[in-house]
Amino acid sequence: MTASAPSRFPHRHILGIEGMSPVEIGTLLDLAEGYIDVSTRKEKLGTLHGRTVMNLFFEDSTRTRTSFELAALRLGADVINMAVANSSVKKGETLIDTALTLHAMHPDVLIIRHPNSGAPHLLAQKLGCSVINAGDGSHEHPTQALLDALTIRRRKGTIAGLTVAICGDVAHSRVARSNIHLLQTMGARVRVVGPPTLMPPAIDRFGVEVFHDMKKGLTGCDIVMMLRLQLERMDGAFVPSLREYSHFYGLDHEMLAAAKPDALVMHPGPLNRGIEISTEVADEIDRSLILQQVEYGVATRMACLEAVVATLAEAGK
Ligand code: ASP
């Protein structure tokens, strides 16, 4: 598919997984699958030639920002990285003013990460370009869930019917929210595992099974998805001590033995080694998918960029 071919992903923005249909998710995953080899061979395509992609990151990021940048470059787009920490935002400019200023430079796609939930949605309403959410507060991180799904699908052949345990700091995790929506939409059974203090108040409404005992939560699981303890989003103490947290909720070999013998381990990064995951488990070549997640991130973001630009092109933009 090229940017001007009819798109089966009929949206100009990718703001969240919530509300996406199985067909839409499947379309993005199939597109991404087709880009894995291109990305591995470091090929440069012309699909987004003449398009401008702007990275606007209000929170630190290593893998997501570089992954979007590589994806856009591999599709032949021009890329601008806005180092927001050094910009006029520091001088008190509002989000909308910053966005309108940047928009005057005519980007086709704005990739935004912001500490406030809903910031990308606000920009999508105000601006004429496509907006892709690269993480908004504790709300959603849709491209992370898509790359996780691609990683699972390639390794297990399917998502439907799998049991996935999402473990740790669910309360502060946009990765958890996007994954819960995606995995359930694609037919997986989702469990969340962690201390009651790290569960969002309305977790019952997500339709997941909740476990506070890690071994029980992992029993019979196909995928163990660990989350980083998001200390920067914790105003007060959510865990008695890191040592105690790690003892009860850290994933080491002994804990992993509760899951199925062929269960695979995932983590969106960055890792707190020795807190939520042991170095031995994180680096176990046969069972840890952590580096594959990073690798498939580029192909996934190529797919997302192509899909939204195809919708723009259909609208004559
Ligand atoms: N990188 C992911 C995010 O931006 C996960 C994390 O930071 O723990 O949400």
Side-chain angles (χ1 to χ4, degrees), residues 50-56 78-82 87-88 93 97-110 127-129:
R51 299 289 191 174
T52 302
V53 174
M54 200 176 264
N55 267 328
L56 186 59
D78 294 319
V79 184
I80 302 170
N81 288 308
M82 288 300 301
S87 76
S88 44
E93 195 171 72
D97 280 334
T98 308
L100 288 175
T101 308
L102 298 175
H103 195 247
M105 295 174 217
H106 305 294
D108 297 287
V109 186
L110 194 68
L127 307 179
C129 63

Side-chain angles (χ1 to χ4, degrees), residues 3 5 20 25 30 120 132 135 138 149 156 159 164 194 226 252 272 295:
M20 266 194 204
I25 293 169
D30 291 345
I132 299 182
S138 305
K156 291 279 187 191
I159 295 171
V164 182
M226 298 307 298
D252 56 12
N272 286 318
E295 185 186 339

Side-chain angles (χ1 to χ4, degrees), residues 13-306:
H13 309 295
I14 297 180
L15 301 175
I17 300 292
E18 189 175 8
M20 266 194 204
S21 69
V23 173
E24 288 168 358
I25 293 169
T27 299
L28 291 174
L29 295 183
D30 291 345
L31 255 182
E33 188 96 41
Y35 278 131
I36 290 176
D37 285 345
V38 175
S39 163
T40 313
R41 289 196 302 266
K42 302 185 191 165
E43 250 173 68
K44 199 159 170 179
L45 306 176
T47 320
L48 295 196
H49 179 75
R51 299 289 191 174
T52 302
V53 174
M54 200 176 264
N55 267 328
L56 186 59
F57 277 61
F58 291 85
E59 276 185 352
D60 290 339
S61 165
T62 313
R63 69 206 81 215
T64 306
R65 196 192 56 71
T66 42
S67 178
F68 267 114
E69 183 174 359
L70 256 186
L73 290 171
R74 294 218 167 121
L75 290 173
D78 294 319
V79 184
I80 302 170
N81 288 308
M82 288 300 301
V84 178
N86 302 320
S87 76
S88 44
V89 173
K90 251 195 164 166
K91 300 173 194 156
E93 195 171 72
T94 65
L95 174 63
I96 292 293
D97 280 334
T98 308
L100 288 175
T101 308
L102 298 175
H103 195 247
M105 295 174 217
H106 305 294
D108 297 287
V109 186
L110 194 68
I111 317 284
I112 176 171
R113 167 169 290 189
H114 199 278
N116 296 348
S117 302
H121 306 68
L122 185 66
L123 294 191
Q125 279 168 20
K126 300 275 177 200
L127 307 179
C129 63
S130 288
V131 176
I132 299 182
N133 181 1
D136 62 324
S138 305
H139 180 224
E140 279 232 35
H141 192 351
T143 58
Q144 177 73 46
L146 287 163
L147 75 87
D148 289 342
L150 183 66
T151 311
I152 296 172
R153 205 176 76 164
R154 278 180 69 85
R155 192 62 183 259
K156 291 279 187 191
T158 179
I159 295 171
L162 296 179
T163 301
V164 182
I166 303 179
C167 309
D169 185 359
V170 181
H172 300 100
S173 177
R174 50 198 177 204
V175 174
R177 274 176 193 68
S178 288
N179 263 305
I180 290 170
H181 291 307
L182 189 149
L183 292 165
Q184 288 186 331
T185 305
M186 300 311 270
R189 204 167 140 189
V190 182
R191 299 177 181 175
V192 290
V193 182
T197 47
L198 291 178
M199 288 294 156
I203 190 68
D204 324 342
R205 284 193 237 136
F206 282 84
V208 294
E209 288 176 89
V210 182
F211 291 83
H212 301 306
D213 180 295
M214 181 103 166
K215 276 202 177 138
K216 284 190 186 141
L218 295 196
T219 303
C221 277
D222 300 284
I223 303 284
V224 182
M225 194 179 275
M226 298 307 298
L227 301 171
R228 182 175 65 91
L229 204 52
Q230 307 225 347
L231 296 166
E232 78 278 19
R233 294 191 209 282
M234 299 182 187
D235 305 328
F238 283 78
V239 289
S241 75
L242 291 182
R243 209 163 136 201
E244 193 168 335
Y245 178 79
S246 169
H247 176 71
F248 286 107
Y249 294 103
L251 186 69
D252 56 12
H253 275 126
E254 196 201 323
M255 197 65 98
L256 184 57
K260 283 191 182 164
D262 62 349
L264 299 170
V265 175
M266 304 177 76
H267 192 303
L271 309 180
N272 286 318
R273 286 177 185 263
I275 298 181
E276 73 264 356
I277 191 163
S278 73
T279 285
E280 293 73 38
V281 170
D283 296 341
E284 191 177 325
I285 290 178
D286 294 338
R287 301 188 75 180
S288 166
L289 300 179
I290 296 171
L291 291 180
Q292 247 148 47
Q293 290 172 266
V294 178
E295 185 186 339
Y296 296 157
V298 178
T300 302
R301 287 166 178 130
M302 288 171 83
C304 291
L305 286 168
E306 179 183 338

